[in-house]
Amino acid sequence: MKDAILVLNAGSSSIKFALYPVISVSDTGDADNQAPLIRGKITGIGNNPILSAQDRTGNKIGQNRLMPIAPNTEYDDLIPNLLGWLESSVDDATICAAGHRVVHGGQGHDKPARVTPELMNDLEKLIPLAPLHQPHNLAAIRAVTTALPDLAQVACFDTSFHRTQIKLAQSFALPRALTDEGIIRYGFHGLSYDYIAGQLPKHLGARANGRVIVAHLGNGASMCAMKNRQSVATSMGFTALDGLMMGRRCGTIDPGVILHLIDNKGMSSQEVGQLLYNQSGLLGVSGISNDMHVLETSISPHAQEAINLFCYRAACELASLTIPIGGIDTIVFTAGIGENSAYVRQKICEHLSWMGVFLDDGANTKNAPRISKAGSDVDVLIIPTNEEIVIARATCNLTNSRPVTGR
């Protein structure tokens, strides 16, 4: 039997999963050589759950092998079904540990941690800081615990990577008592940035430790300024609402707008939250979709306006992040939009030509690993992110799982 690590990324309406062979903690090789045994997702949770998956060669698992999932199934019923389906779908594999993406680790967790009742109590208190993510992350952990009480589990935090920042970069100009209570800039997408930091030497050699800004552009979007491959500053703050314009989130906004909506428009805090988290961003500006591909193919002027605003805000944020690291040597695009939208990359970099950022149009169109022109003062790269492998490695490390031999 092969020991395997289960990786779970649980959301409100979907859960992504992967089953990895146990990975040596000393193995820093290319993630392409550490493909999961199986990878997939369940969408439509709470309504009409649908499972889709593929094996390590990329072949889709046939419909006849999909597990039956009843409508309105929640995590308590879904997770046991998924665990059984995984072990029956992968020959000779047994799950020896589970690793979870947990969005918020607060100030107290600067690295992955073994799941304990005490940790769960800590993480429950952070739900108000990540209301769209944290409850579902924790629900998946509890469901695994119920199904397999003796299984070792590890929580990997999106905030941990940013705990290398100095206090100045984490502080708001609020009364000190509020800062002491933990109202600070936490930053998110840390698992993605952790992976990219590990990949930089392969692409940049000695320049990997230089001044790098990584643009994680997807439905959720943020940027991270790195030096010595550590986080120095980031665009997201106390919550995942801050910073860049996103698929449905507004990004940075004048706090006076929020007060105006409450005091003069009669909106409740819940209504304002719904507006800022789910009705703004690309969706709100375009009135069409939060999907960048849909907007790029639309003839609506509102779609183009949404794209233009997204790129303008991204360029402004990127330029501001050069200050904490004293300039810039490299830009890295990653995540769904960053990896796949040549048009968005082009529009952002056009705003940055004054910094010496120039793209090779052909390389950009092909989504090549290096898309900057030979004479560009700043290297511009595309590096696909892989949060799953970061979670799998951390889980192996903390659970002392036996590495697979012969790999």
Side-chain angles (χ1 to χ4, degrees), residues 49-88:
I50 299 173
L51 183 149
S52 58
Q54 59 186 36
D55 63 23
R56 68 189 317 167
T57 62
N59 294 322
K60 292 183 179 179
I61 306 290
Q63 288 290 331
N64 61 324
R65 295 188 66 191
L66 294 181
M67 65 181 183
I69 307 176
N72 302 316
T73 301
E74 299 293 347
Y75 281 127
D76 288 346
D77 298 318
L78 185 151
I79 292 293
N81 241 346
L82 176 62
L83 294 172
W85 181 83
L86 282 169
E87 291 203 334
S88 67

Side-chain angles (χ1 to χ4, degrees), residues 266-338:
M267 296 179 70
S268 67
S269 61
Q270 291 79 12
E271 289 171 330
V272 172
Q274 178 69 9
L275 175 75
L276 300 182
Y277 274 106
N278 295 308
Q279 299 170 354
S280 300
L282 291 171
L283 175 63
V285 177
S286 71
I288 297 170
S289 176
N290 63 308
D291 187 319
M292 183 62 77
H293 178 70
V294 170
L295 298 181
E296 287 184 19
T297 56
S298 173
I299 62 173
S300 167
H302 293 161
Q304 187 61 56
E305 183 180 350
I307 297 171
N308 289 344
L309 184 56
F310 181 91
C311 296
Y312 172 77
R313 285 289 307 122
C316 290
E317 194 71 48
L318 192 150
S320 72
L321 285 172
T322 64
I323 295 172
I325 53 176
I328 186 167
D329 302 309
T330 304
I331 297 169
V332 177
F333 287 101
T334 194
I337 297 172

Side-chain angles (χ1 to χ4, degrees), residues 149-289:
D150 296 327
L151 187 72
Q153 297 188 74
V154 171
C156 298
F157 308 106
D158 255 340
T159 49
S160 291
F161 186 75
H162 303 295
R163 300 284 65 77
T164 55
Q165 294 178 10
I166 63 173
K167 184 176 181 180
L168 190 67
Q170 299 183 58
S171 297
F172 292 114
L174 290 171
R176 184 170 299 277
L178 294 175
T179 301
D180 293 342
E181 287 177 12
I183 300 181
I184 63 170
R185 301 182 60 86
Y186 288 99
F188 299 91
H189 293 136
L191 298 175
S192 176
Y193 294 130
D194 191 343
Y195 177 78
I196 298 299
Q199 294 295 301
L200 289 177
K202 299 175 186 178
H203 295 267
L204 296 171
R207 287 167 63 88
N209 290 329
R211 302 165 299 180
V212 179
I213 294 179
V214 182
H216 177 106
L217 305 180
N219 192 51
S222 70
M223 291 185 182
C224 179
M226 298 183 192
K227 208 167 185 179
N228 296 317
R229 292 188 286 146
Q230 293 184 325
S231 177
V232 176
T234 188
S235 61
M236 279 183 171
F238 181 62
T239 70
L241 270 178
D242 199 13
L244 303 178
M245 175 179 170
M246 303 175 226
R248 293 173 178 269
R249 284 171 261 171
C250 62
T252 298
I253 188 170
D254 179 348
V257 173
I258 298 171
L259 296 176
H260 173 77
L261 294 175
I262 294 172
D263 293 340
N264 299 311
K265 302 292 286 186
M267 296 179 70
S268 67
S269 61
Q270 291 79 12
E271 289 171 330
V272 172
Q274 178 69 9
L275 175 75
L276 300 182
Y277 274 106
N278 295 308
Q279 299 170 354
S280 300
L282 291 171
L283 175 63
V285 177
S286 71
I288 297 170
S289 176

Side-chain angles (χ1 to χ4, degrees), residues 4-28:
I5 299 291
L6 174 62
V7 174
L8 293 175
N9 182 353
S12 59
S13 61
S14 67
I15 182 168
K16 297 177 183 177
F17 61 85
L19 195 64
Y20 278 87
V22 172
I23 302 162
S24 170
V25 293
S26 63
D27 186 356
T28 57

Side-chain angles (χ1 to χ4, degrees), residues 338-350:
E339 295 169 25
N340 297 297
S341 177
Y343 183 65
V344 167
R345 294 191 299 263
Q346 174 196 337
K347 295 287 287 184
I348 291 172
C349 290
E350 283 176 357

